Amino acid sequence: MPDPFTTQHLIAPADDRRHTPGPGAKPLWNESWWFPFYDPETRIGVVTRIGLLPMQQTANLWFFVTRDGALVHDATTLALPLPEGDIDTGLQVGGLTYRCVDPLARWRLAFEDQRVQMDVEWRAFSPVHQWPFPPGSTVEDVPRHVEQSGWVRGALRLGSERIALVRAYGHRDHSWGGERDWSKMHHWYYASGEMGADLSFNAVKVWLAEDAFITIGCLWDGHETLNVEQLDVVCQIDPAARHQTGGVVTVHDSRGRDWRFDGTVLAHCPVQIGPTRVDDAITEFRVAGRLGYGIIEYGRQE
């Protein structure tokens, strides 16, 4: 029998709600929710993010739609008013709204502007997993970060065309605290992939300097959420375009198993934040003959 601790949520429902900066909060104290998903039937990919910077009284919105490998809609806006509300009643920034229908399990994602309308349900198939943080650290010093895998269904309208999304592969994360200063990271690779309800992963490799990096990751095998014991994330970069074309995530989990997830980028969703370029690329992953979908994110200073 698996250890019951690993199959349970590692946060309480209240932890997924909106947070308030403490007295020691840094100027770039950040809170964000991120929901990307991809539907292989329609070949539609969507990347969404709501970011809050309460010490600056500003918010930002990422919203991308890709189709057949091309970016067809980008509504990203990086300087919007800080919103009211919380996830239970609906957190809205620009045309994007996140509402938690069932804590740690089900969300409603909606978006609307002149060209695009979206109304989908995100439903978890894995427990929430919290990335480890240094013992004794406070949330003002080190951000808290959770990840979770799920399915997405609903509808998307592009222009006058309505597209049904029946079973899209979805992910989400939620970060709060610390400081989100993108320029302090030399570069990084992040990857997450959903291979099916019984297998998903997320992993990051961050260079804080040119020759110093850290790695963090998690694997869900249908029974347990596991911190990985050994991990590497290698990104394949097109030297001319200077963007990622694919990547390989290798994992050695705490049960002694080895996993290799090979990713091929399908479409790019780039954001420019000052000197930092963040590209959340929709990606197809393969592992042991199985096919899944997710994200390879490549961040760097330009």
Side-chain angles (χ1 to χ4, degrees), residues 201-279:
F201 72 93
N202 57 83
V204 67
K205 186 174 183 178
V206 181
W207 281 260
L208 303 176
E210 190 170 358
D211 57 354
F213 63 84
I214 59 173
T215 57
I216 303 172
C218 167
L219 182 123
W220 162 251
D221 67 359
H223 303 284
E224 303 176 277
T225 51
L226 302 165
N227 284 323
V228 299
E229 291 192 346
Q230 296 177 31
L231 166 69
D232 200 11
V233 185
V234 178
C235 210
Q236 298 153 3
I237 308 297
D238 182 320
R242 298 191 64 220
H243 64 213
Q244 68 275 41
T245 59
V248 179
V249 179
T250 54
V251 169
H252 183 76
D253 72 24
S254 57
R255 298 297 183 190
R257 298 169 298 186
D258 292 308
W259 308 81
R260 174 176 168 137
F261 300 92
D262 289 274
T264 301
V265 166
L266 303 178
H268 292 272
C269 302
V271 181
Q272 192 73 35
I273 307 169
T276 309
R277 187 170 183 83
V278 184
D279 185 351

Side-chain angles (χ1 to χ4, degrees), residues 78-180:
L78 299 181
L80 291 167
L82 193 69
E84 300 291 334
D86 206 338
I87 60 172
D88 53 349
T89 55
L91 189 63
Q92 183 175 10
V93 173
L96 179 63
T97 303
Y98 293 158
R99 184 170 67 88
C100 183
V101 179
D102 185 5
L104 308 182
R106 193 157 56 98
W107 293 71
R108 201 77 181 182
L109 316 178
F111 178 82
E112 186 167 6
D113 66 12
Q114 286 188 330
R115 184 163 184 272
V116 173
Q117 184 179 40
M118 179 185 76
D119 185 5
V120 300
E121 179 185 77
W122 189 101
R123 187 182 290 267
F125 66 67
S126 78
V128 173
H129 181 267
Q130 186 171 41
W131 281 359
F133 50 85
S137 66
T138 71
V139 70
E140 310 305 341
D141 299 325
V142 180
R144 302 320 190 224
H145 181 94
V146 301
E147 306 240 356
Q148 191 174 28
S149 297
W151 299 116
V152 176
R153 63 179 300 166
L156 185 75
R157 179 181 57 78
L158 292 175
S160 60
E161 182 184 7
R162 186 182 184 278
I163 303 164
L165 305 172
V166 177
R167 192 172 181 265
Y169 293 70
H171 197 79
R172 79 174 184 101
D173 76 23
H174 177 202
S175 299
W176 67 96
E179 186 175 37
R180 182 59 64 89

